[in-house]
Coordinates of all heavy atoms in Angstrom, one line a residue:
M1 N -30.3 -39.2 -19.3 CA -29.2 -38.4 -19.5 C -28.8 -37.5 -18.4 O -29.7 -36.8 -17.9 CB -29.4 -37.6 -20.8 CG -28.2 -36.9 -21.3 SD -28.5 -36.5 -23.0 CE -28.2 -34.8 -23.0
K2 N -27.5 -37.4 -18.0 CA -27.1 -36.6 -16.9 C -26.5 -35.3 -17.5 O -25.6 -35.4 -18.4 CB -26.0 -37.4 -16.2 CG -25.8 -36.8 -14.7 CD -24.9 -37.8 -14.0 CE -25.1 -37.6 -12.5 NZ -24.2 -38.5 -11.8
V3 N -26.8 -34.2 -17.0 CA -26.3 -32.9 -17.4 C -25.5 -32.3 -16.4 O -25.9 -32.3 -15.2 CB -27.5 -32.0 -17.9 CG1 -26.9 -30.6 -18.3 CG2 -28.3 -32.5 -19.0
R4 N -24.2 -31.8 -16.7 CA -23.4 -31.2 -15.8 C -23.1 -29.8 -16.2 O -22.8 -29.5 -17.4 CB -22.0 -31.9 -15.8 CG -21.6 -32.6 -14.6 CD -20.3 -33.1 -14.6 NE -20.0 -33.7 -13.4 CZ -19.0 -34.5 -13.1 NH1 -18.1 -34.7 -14.1 NH2 -18.8 -35.0 -12.0
T5 N -23.3 -28.8 -15.3 CA -22.9 -27.5 -15.6 C -21.7 -27.1 -14.7 O -21.7 -27.3 -13.5 CB -24.2 -26.6 -15.2 OG1 -25.3 -27.1 -15.9 CG2 -23.9 -25.2 -15.5
R6 N -20.8 -26.5 -15.4 CA -19.5 -26.1 -14.6 C -19.5 -24.6 -14.8 O -19.6 -24.0 -15.9 CB -18.3 -26.7 -15.2 CG -18.3 -28.1 -14.9 CD -17.0 -28.7 -15.3 NE -17.0 -30.2 -15.2 CZ -15.9 -30.9 -15.2 NH1 -14.8 -30.4 -15.4 NH2 -16.1 -32.2 -15.0
Q7 N -19.2 -23.9 -13.7 CA -19.2 -22.5 -13.6 C -17.9 -22.2 -12.9 O -17.6 -22.7 -11.8 CB -20.4 -21.8 -13.0 CG -21.6 -22.0 -13.8 CD -22.7 -21.3 -13.0 OE1 -22.7 -20.7 -12.0 NE2 -23.9 -21.4 -13.7
P8 N -17.1 -21.2 -13.4 CA -15.9 -20.9 -12.7 C -16.2 -20.1 -11.4 O -17.2 -19.4 -11.3 CB -15.1 -20.0 -13.7 CG -16.2 -19.4 -14.5 CD -17.2 -20.5 -14.6
I9 N -15.4 -20.3 -10.3 CA -15.6 -19.7 -9.1 C -14.3 -19.1 -8.7 O -13.3 -19.7 -8.7 CB -16.1 -20.8 -8.0 CG1 -17.4 -21.4 -8.4 CG2 -16.1 -20.0 -6.6 CD1 -17.8 -22.5 -7.4
S10 N -14.4 -17.8 -8.3 CA -13.2 -17.1 -7.8 C -13.0 -17.4 -6.3 O -13.9 -17.5 -5.6 CB -13.3 -15.6 -8.0 OG -13.4 -15.3 -9.3
F11 N -11.8 -17.5 -5.9 CA -11.4 -17.8 -4.6 C -10.2 -16.9 -4.2 O -9.2 -17.0 -4.9 CB -11.1 -19.2 -4.3 CG -10.8 -19.5 -2.9 CD1 -11.7 -19.4 -1.9 CD2 -9.5 -19.7 -2.5 CE1 -11.4 -19.7 -0.5 CE2 -9.1 -20.0 -1.2 CZ -10.0 -19.9 -0.2
G12 N -10.3 -16.1 -3.2 CA -9.2 -15.2 -2.8 C -8.7 -15.7 -1.4 O -9.5 -15.9 -0.5
A13 N -7.5 -15.8 -1.2 CA -6.9 -16.2 0.0 C -5.6 -15.4 0.3 O -4.9 -15.1 -0.7 CB -6.7 -17.6 0.2
Q14 N -5.3 -15.1 1.5 CA -4.1 -14.4 1.9 C -3.3 -15.3 2.8 O -3.7 -15.7 3.8 CB -4.4 -13.1 2.5 CG -3.3 -12.2 2.7 CD -3.6 -10.9 3.2 OE1 -4.8 -10.7 3.7 NE2 -2.7 -10.0 3.3
M15 N -2.1 -15.6 2.3 CA -1.1 -16.4 3.2 C -0.3 -15.5 4.0 O 0.0 -14.4 3.6 CB -0.2 -17.2 2.2 CG -1.0 -18.2 1.3 SD -1.8 -19.5 2.2 CE -0.5 -20.4 2.9
P16 N 0.0 -16.0 5.3 CA 0.9 -15.1 6.1 C 2.3 -15.0 5.6 O 2.8 -16.0 5.0 CB 0.8 -15.9 7.4 CG 0.4 -17.3 7.1 CD -0.4 -17.2 5.9
T17 N 2.9 -13.9 5.8 CA 4.2 -13.7 5.5 C 5.2 -14.4 6.5 O 4.7 -14.9 7.5 CB 4.6 -12.2 5.5 OG1 4.6 -11.7 6.9 CG2 3.7 -11.4 4.6
A18 N 6.4 -14.5 6.1 CA 7.4 -15.2 7.0 C 7.4 -14.5 8.4 O 7.5 -15.1 9.4 CB 8.8 -15.2 6.3
L19 N 7.3 -13.2 8.3 CA 7.4 -12.4 9.7 C 6.1 -12.7 10.5 O 6.2 -12.8 11.7 CB 7.6 -10.9 9.4 CG 8.9 -10.4 9.0 CD1 8.8 -8.9 8.7 CD2 10.0 -10.7 10.0
E20 N 4.9 -12.7 9.8 CA 3.7 -12.9 10.5 C 3.7 -14.4 11.1 O 3.2 -14.5 12.2 CB 2.6 -12.7 9.6 CG 2.3 -11.4 9.1 CD 1.3 -11.2 8.0 OE1 1.0 -12.2 7.4 OE2 0.8 -10.1 7.9
L21 N 4.3 -15.3 10.5 CA 4.4 -16.7 11.0 C 5.2 -16.7 12.3 O 5.1 -17.6 13.1 CB 5.0 -17.7 10.0 CG 4.1 -18.0 8.8 CD1 4.8 -18.8 7.8 CD2 2.9 -18.8 9.3
Q22 N 6.1 -15.7 12.5 CA 6.9 -15.6 13.7 C 6.3 -14.6 14.7 O 6.9 -14.4 15.8 CB 8.3 -15.1 13.3 CG 9.0 -16.0 12.3 CD 10.4 -15.4 11.9 OE1 10.9 -14.5 12.5 NE2 10.8 -15.9 10.8
G23 N 5.1 -14.1 14.4 CA 4.4 -13.3 15.4 C 4.7 -11.8 15.1 O 4.2 -11.0 16.0
D24 N 5.4 -11.4 14.1 CA 5.7 -10.0 13.8 C 4.7 -9.4 12.8 O 4.8 -9.7 11.6 CB 7.1 -9.9 13.3 CG 7.5 -8.4 13.2 OD1 6.7 -7.5 13.1 OD2 8.8 -8.2 13.0
F25 N 3.8 -8.6 13.2 CA 2.8 -8.0 12.4 C 3.1 -6.5 12.2 O 2.2 -5.7 11.9 CB 1.4 -8.2 13.0 CG 0.9 -9.6 13.0 CD1 1.3 -10.5 14.0 CD2 0.2 -10.1 11.9 CE1 1.0 -11.8 13.9 CE2 -0.2 -11.4 11.9 CZ 0.2 -12.3 12.9
S26 N 4.3 -6.1 12.4 CA 4.6 -4.7 12.4 C 4.4 -4.1 10.9 O 4.4 -2.8 10.8 CB 6.0 -4.4 12.9 OG 7.0 -5.2 12.1
N27 N 4.5 -4.9 9.9 CA 4.4 -4.4 8.6 C 3.1 -4.8 8.0 O 2.9 -4.8 6.8 CB 5.6 -4.8 7.7 CG 6.9 -4.1 8.2 OD1 6.9 -3.0 8.5 ND2 7.9 -4.9 8.3
S28 N 2.2 -5.4 8.7 CA 0.9 -6.0 8.2 C -0.1 -4.9 8.0 O -0.4 -4.1 8.9 CB 0.4 -7.1 9.1 OG 1.4 -8.1 9.2
L29 N -0.6 -4.9 6.8 CA -1.6 -3.9 6.4 C -3.1 -4.4 6.3 O -3.2 -5.6 5.9 CB -1.3 -3.2 5.2 CG 0.1 -2.6 5.1 CD1 0.3 -2.0 3.7 CD2 0.3 -1.5 6.1
N30 N -4.0 -3.6 6.7 CA -5.4 -4.0 6.5 C -5.9 -3.7 5.1 O -5.1 -3.3 4.3 CB -6.3 -3.3 7.6 CG -6.3 -1.8 7.4 OD1 -6.1 -1.3 6.4 ND2 -6.6 -1.2 8.5
R31 N -7.1 -4.0 4.8 CA -7.7 -3.8 3.5 C -7.5 -2.4 2.9 O -7.5 -2.1 1.7 CB -9.2 -4.1 3.4 CG -9.4 -5.6 3.6 CD -10.8 -5.8 3.4 NE -11.1 -7.2 3.9 CZ -12.2 -7.9 3.5 NH1 -13.2 -7.3 2.7 NH2 -12.4 -9.1 3.9
N32 N -7.6 -1.4 3.8 CA -7.5 0.1 3.5 C -6.1 0.5 3.4 O -5.9 1.8 3.2 CB -8.4 0.8 4.5 CG -9.8 0.5 4.5 OD1 -10.4 0.1 3.5 ND2 -10.3 0.5 5.7
G33 N -5.1 -0.3 3.6 CA -3.7 0.1 3.5 C -3.1 0.6 4.8 O -2.0 1.1 4.9
G34 N -3.9 0.6 5.8 CA -3.4 1.1 7.2 C -2.8 -0.1 7.9 O -3.0 -1.3 7.6
L35 N -2.1 0.2 9.0 CA -1.5 -0.8 9.8 C -2.5 -1.7 10.5 O -3.5 -1.2 11.1 CB -0.6 -0.1 10.8 CG 0.3 -1.1 11.8 CD1 1.3 -1.9 10.8 CD2 1.0 -0.3 12.7
R36 N -2.4 -3.0 10.4 CA -3.3 -3.9 11.0 C -2.8 -4.0 12.6 O -1.7 -4.2 12.9 CB -3.2 -5.3 10.5 CG -4.1 -6.3 11.1 CD -3.8 -7.6 10.6 NE -4.3 -7.7 9.2 CZ -4.0 -8.5 8.2 NH1 -3.2 -9.4 8.5 NH2 -4.5 -8.4 7.0
N37 N -3.8 -3.7 13.5 CA -3.5 -3.8 14.9 C -3.7 -5.2 15.4 O -4.8 -5.8 15.2 CB -4.3 -2.7 15.6 CG -4.1 -1.4 15.3 OD1 -2.9 -1.1 15.2 ND2 -5.0 -0.5 15.1
I38 N -2.8 -5.6 16.2 CA -2.9 -6.9 16.9 C -3.1 -6.8 18.3 O -2.2 -6.2 19.0 CB -1.7 -7.9 16.5 CG1 -1.4 -7.9 15.0 CG2 -1.8 -9.3 17.2 CD1 -2.6 -8.6 14.2
Y39 N -4.2 -7.3 18.9 CA -4.5 -7.0 20.3 C -4.2 -8.3 21.1 O -4.4 -9.5 20.7 CB -5.9 -6.6 20.4 CG -6.2 -5.3 19.7 CD1 -6.7 -5.3 18.4 CD2 -6.1 -4.2 20.4 CE1 -7.0 -4.0 17.8 CE2 -6.3 -2.9 19.8 CZ -6.7 -2.9 18.5 OH -7.0 -1.7 18.0
D40 N -3.8 -8.1 22.3 CA -3.5 -9.1 23.3 C -4.8 -9.6 24.0 O -5.5 -8.8 24.7 CB -2.7 -8.6 24.4 CG -2.1 -9.6 25.3 OD1 -2.6 -10.7 25.4 OD2 -1.2 -9.3 26.2
P41 N -5.3 -10.8 23.7 CA -6.4 -11.3 24.3 C -6.5 -11.5 25.8 O -7.6 -11.4 26.4 CB -6.7 -12.7 23.6 CG -5.3 -13.1 23.2 CD -4.6 -11.8 22.9
F42 N -5.3 -11.5 26.4 CA -5.3 -11.6 27.8 C -5.5 -10.3 28.6 O -5.4 -10.2 29.8 CB -3.9 -12.2 28.3 CG -3.9 -13.7 27.9 CD1 -2.8 -14.2 27.2 CD2 -4.8 -14.6 28.1 CE1 -2.6 -15.5 26.8 CE2 -4.7 -16.0 27.8 CZ -3.6 -16.3 27.1
T43 N -5.6 -9.1 27.8 CA -5.8 -7.9 28.4 C -7.3 -7.4 28.3 O -7.5 -6.2 28.5 CB -4.9 -6.8 27.9 OG1 -5.2 -6.7 26.4 CG2 -3.4 -7.2 28.0
T44 N -8.2 -8.3 28.0 CA -9.6 -7.9 27.7 C -10.2 -7.3 29.0 O -10.0 -7.9 30.1 CB -10.4 -9.1 27.3 OG1 -9.9 -9.6 26.2 CG2 -11.8 -8.7 27.1
Q45 N -10.8 -6.2 28.9 CA -11.4 -5.5 30.0 C -12.8 -5.1 29.7 O -13.1 -4.6 28.6 CB -10.7 -4.2 30.4 CG -9.3 -4.5 30.9 CD -8.6 -3.1 31.1 OE1 -9.1 -2.1 31.4 NE2 -7.2 -3.2 30.9
I46 N -13.8 -5.4 30.5 CA -15.2 -5.1 30.2 C -15.4 -3.7 30.6 O -15.1 -3.2 31.7 CB -16.2 -5.9 31.1 CG1 -15.9 -7.4 30.8 CG2 -17.6 -5.6 30.8 CD1 -16.1 -7.9 29.4
T47 N -15.8 -2.8 29.7 CA -15.9 -1.4 29.8 C -17.4 -0.9 30.0 O -17.6 0.2 30.3 CB -15.3 -0.6 28.7 OG1 -15.9 -1.0 27.5 CG2 -13.8 -0.9 28.6
G48 N -18.3 -1.7 29.7 CA -19.7 -1.4 29.8 C -20.7 -2.5 29.4 O -20.1 -3.7 29.2
S49 N -21.9 -2.3 29.3 CA -22.8 -3.4 28.8 C -22.4 -3.7 27.3 O -22.5 -2.8 26.5 CB -24.2 -3.0 29.0 OG -24.5 -1.9 28.1
N50 N -22.0 -5.0 27.1 CA -21.8 -5.4 25.7 C -20.6 -4.8 25.1 O -20.5 -4.7 23.9 CB -23.0 -5.4 24.8 CG -24.1 -6.3 25.3 OD1 -23.8 -7.3 25.8 ND2 -25.3 -5.9 25.1
T51 N -19.7 -4.1 25.9 CA -18.4 -3.6 25.3 C -17.2 -4.0 26.1 O -17.3 -4.2 27.3 CB -18.5 -2.0 25.3 OG1 -18.7 -1.5 26.6 CG2 -19.7 -1.5 24.4
S52 N -16.1 -4.1 25.4 CA -14.9 -4.4 26.0 C -13.8 -3.8 25.2 O -13.9 -3.3 24.1 CB -14.7 -5.9 26.1 OG -14.7 -6.5 24.8
T53 N -12.6 -3.7 25.9 CA -11.4 -3.3 25.2 C -10.2 -4.2 25.4 O -10.2 -5.1 26.3 CB -10.9 -1.9 25.7 OG1 -10.6 -2.0 27.1 CG2 -12.0 -0.8 25.5
R54 N -9.2 -4.1 24.6 CA -8.0 -5.0 24.7 C -6.8 -4.0 24.4 O -6.9 -3.1 23.5 CB -8.0 -6.1 23.7 CG -8.9 -7.2 24.0 CD -8.8 -8.3 23.0 NE -9.7 -9.3 23.3 CZ -10.1 -10.3 22.5 NH1 -9.6 -10.4 21.3 NH2 -10.9 -11.2 22.9
D55 N -5.7 -4.3 25.0 CA -4.4 -3.5 24.7 C -3.8 -4.2 23.5 O -3.7 -5.4 23.4 CB -3.5 -3.6 25.9 CG -4.1 -2.9 27.1 OD1 -4.9 -2.0 27.0 OD2 -3.7 -3.3 28.3
P56 N -3.2 -3.3 22.6 CA -2.4 -3.9 21.5 C -1.1 -4.4 21.9 O -0.6 -4.0 23.0 CB -2.3 -2.7 20.6 CG -2.4 -1.5 21.4 CD -3.3 -1.8 22.6
F57 N -0.6 -5.4 21.2 CA 0.8 -5.9 21.5 C 1.7 -4.7 21.1 O 1.5 -4.0 20.1 CB 1.1 -7.1 20.6 CG 0.5 -8.3 21.2 CD1 -0.5 -9.0 20.5 CD2 1.0 -8.9 22.3 CE1 -1.0 -10.2 21.0 CE2 0.5 -10.1 22.8 CZ -0.5 -10.8 22.2
I58 N 2.8 -4.5 21.9 CA 3.8 -3.5 21.7 C 4.4 -3.8 20.3 O 4.9 -4.9 20.0 CB 4.9 -3.5 22.8 CG1 4.2 -3.2 24.1 CG2 6.0 -2.5 22.4 CD1 5.1 -3.3 25.3
N59 N 4.5 -2.7 19.4 CA 5.0 -2.7 18.1 C 4.4 -3.8 17.2 O 5.0 -4.2 16.2 CB 6.5 -2.9 18.2 CG 7.3 -1.8 18.8 OD1 6.9 -0.7 18.7 ND2 8.2 -2.1 19.6
N60 N 3.2 -4.2 17.6 CA 2.4 -5.2 16.8 C 3.2 -6.5 16.7 O 3.1 -7.3 15.6 CB 2.1 -4.7 15.3 CG 0.6 -4.2 15.3 OD1 -0.1 -4.3 16.3 ND2 0.3 -3.7 14.2
V61 N 4.0 -6.9 17.7 CA 4.7 -8.1 17.7 C 4.2 -8.9 18.8 O 4.3 -8.5 20.1 CB 6.3 -7.8 17.8 CG1 7.1 -9.1 17.9 CG2 6.7 -7.0 16.6
I62 N 3.8 -10.2 18.5 CA 3.4 -11.2 19.6 C 4.7 -11.8 20.1 O 5.5 -12.3 19.4 CB 2.5 -12.2 19.1 CG1 1.3 -11.6 18.4 CG2 2.1 -13.3 20.1 CD1 0.4 -12.6 17.7
P63 N 4.9 -11.7 21.5 CA 6.2 -12.3 22.0 C 6.3 -13.8 21.8 O 5.3 -14.5 21.7 CB 6.0 -12.1 23.6 CG 5.0 -11.0 23.7 CD 4.1 -11.1 22.5
Q64 N 7.5 -14.2 21.5 CA 7.7 -15.7 21.2 C 7.2 -16.6 22.3 O 6.7 -17.7 22.0 CB 9.3 -15.9 21.0 CG 9.8 -15.3 19.7 CD 9.3 -16.0 18.4 OE1 9.4 -17.2 18.4 NE2 8.8 -15.2 17.6
T65 N 7.2 -16.1 23.5 CA 6.7 -17.0 24.6 C 5.2 -17.2 24.5 O 4.7 -18.1 25.2 CB 7.1 -16.4 25.9 OG1 6.5 -15.1 26.0 CG2 8.6 -16.3 26.2
R66 N 4.5 -16.4 23.8 CA 3.0 -16.5 23.7 C 2.6 -17.3 22.5 O 1.5 -17.6 22.2 CB 2.4 -15.1 23.6 CG 2.7 -14.2 24.8 CD 1.8 -14.5 25.9 NE 0.4 -14.2 25.7 CZ -0.1 -13.0 25.8 NH1 0.7 -12.0 26.2 NH2 -1.4 -12.8 25.5
L67 N 3.6 -17.8 21.6 CA 3.2 -18.5 20.4 C 3.2 -20.0 20.7 O 4.1 -20.5 21.5 CB 4.3 -18.2 19.3 CG 4.4 -16.8 18.8 CD1 5.4 -16.6 17.8 CD2 3.0 -16.3 18.3
D68 N 2.2 -20.7 20.2 CA 2.1 -22.1 20.4 C 3.2 -22.9 19.7 O 3.4 -22.8 18.5 CB 0.7 -22.5 19.9 CG 0.5 -24.0 20.2 OD1 0.3 -24.4 21.4 OD2 0.5 -24.8 19.2
A69 N 3.8 -23.8 20.4 CA 4.9 -24.6 19.9 C 4.5 -25.5 18.7 O 5.2 -25.7 17.7 CB 5.5 -25.5 20.9
T70 N 3.3 -26.1 18.8 CA 2.8 -26.9 17.8 C 2.5 -26.1 16.5 O 2.8 -26.5 15.4 CB 1.4 -27.6 18.2 OG1 1.8 -28.4 19.4 CG2 1.0 -28.6 17.1
A71 N 1.9 -24.9 16.7 CA 1.6 -24.1 15.5 C 2.9 -23.7 14.9 O 3.0 -23.5 13.7 CB 0.8 -22.8 16.0
L72 N 4.0 -23.4 15.6 CA 5.2 -23.0 15.1 C 5.9 -24.1 14.3 O 6.4 -23.8 13.2 CB 6.2 -22.5 16.2 CG 5.9 -21.2 16.9 CD1 6.9 -21.0 18.1 CD2 6.0 -20.1 15.9
R73 N 5.7 -25.3 14.8 CA 6.2 -26.5 14.0 C 5.5 -26.6 12.7 O 6.0 -26.9 11.6 CB 6.2 -27.7 14.8 CG 7.3 -27.9 15.8 CD 7.4 -29.4 16.3 NE 6.2 -29.7 17.1 CZ 5.9 -29.4 18.3 NH1 6.8 -28.9 19.1 NH2 4.8 -29.9 19.0
M74 N 4.1 -26.4 12.7 CA 3.4 -26.6 11.6 C 3.7 -25.4 10.5 O 3.8 -25.7 9.3 CB 1.9 -26.5 11.9 CG 1.4 -27.7 12.6 SD -0.3 -27.6 13.1 CE -1.1 -27.7 11.5
A75 N 3.8 -24.3 11.1 CA 4.2 -23.1 10.2 C 5.5 -23.3 9.5 O 5.8 -22.8 8.4 CB 4.2 -21.7 10.9
S76 N 6.5 -23.9 10.2 CA 7.8 -24.1 9.6 C 7.8 -25.0 8.4 O 8.8 -25.1 7.7 CB 8.8 -24.6 10.7 OG 8.5 -25.9 11.0
T77 N 6.8 -25.7 8.2 CA 6.8 -26.7 7.1 C 6.0 -26.0 5.9 O 6.0 -26.6 4.8 CB 5.9 -28.0 7.4 OG1 4.6 -27.6 7.7 CG2 6.6 -28.6 8.6
M78 N 5.6 -24.8 6.1 CA 4.9 -24.1 4.9 C 5.9 -23.5 3.9 O 7.0 -23.2 4.1 CB 4.1 -22.9 5.4 CG 3.0 -23.4 6.4 SD 2.0 -22.0 7.0 CE 0.7 -22.0 5.8

């Protein structure tokens, strides 16, 4: 005889807003309700042993020229 046990599992997910899909994170909040900072990966600077810094994007908006065309096409179908 085969016994099956089913237990409910909670799953939480957060979908990007329409503005976030376009690279605009100016109104995006972190878990604590503060503004989420978006950093430019191309500005990484090594500041010491095992430490580095990055500059944030101006106004928390990723320029359209930096967004991947394939990702934009996929996001437009959401």
Side-chain angles (χ1 to χ4, degrees):
M1 182 162 127
K2 201 174 204 181
V3 177
R4 241 186 183 169
T5 303
R6 293 186 184 196
Q7 295 179 358
I9 297 173
S10 295
F11 178 75
Q14 187 174 11
M15 297 298 293
T17 65
L19 286 176
E20 290 171 344
L21 289 171
Q22 297 172 23
D24 185 346
F25 292 85
S26 60
N27 295 315
S28 300
L29 304 178
N30 61 26
R31 291 181 190 201
N32 300 323
L35 186 63
R36 177 182 297 159
N37 293 317
I38 305 299
Y39 295 95
D40 185 349
F42 293 128
T43 63
T44 303
Q45 300 173 29
I46 305 302
T47 57
S49 66
N50 295 328
T51 60
S52 62
T53 63
R54 290 181 178 167
D55 296 332
F57 281 109
I58 297 171
N59 298 322
N60 262 358
V61 177
I62 301 171
Q64 290 289 310
T65 57
R66 300 279 293 277
L67 299 176
D68 182 70
T70 303
L72 289 173
R73 279 193 299 272
M74 290 177 68
S76 70
T77 64
M78 296 179 95

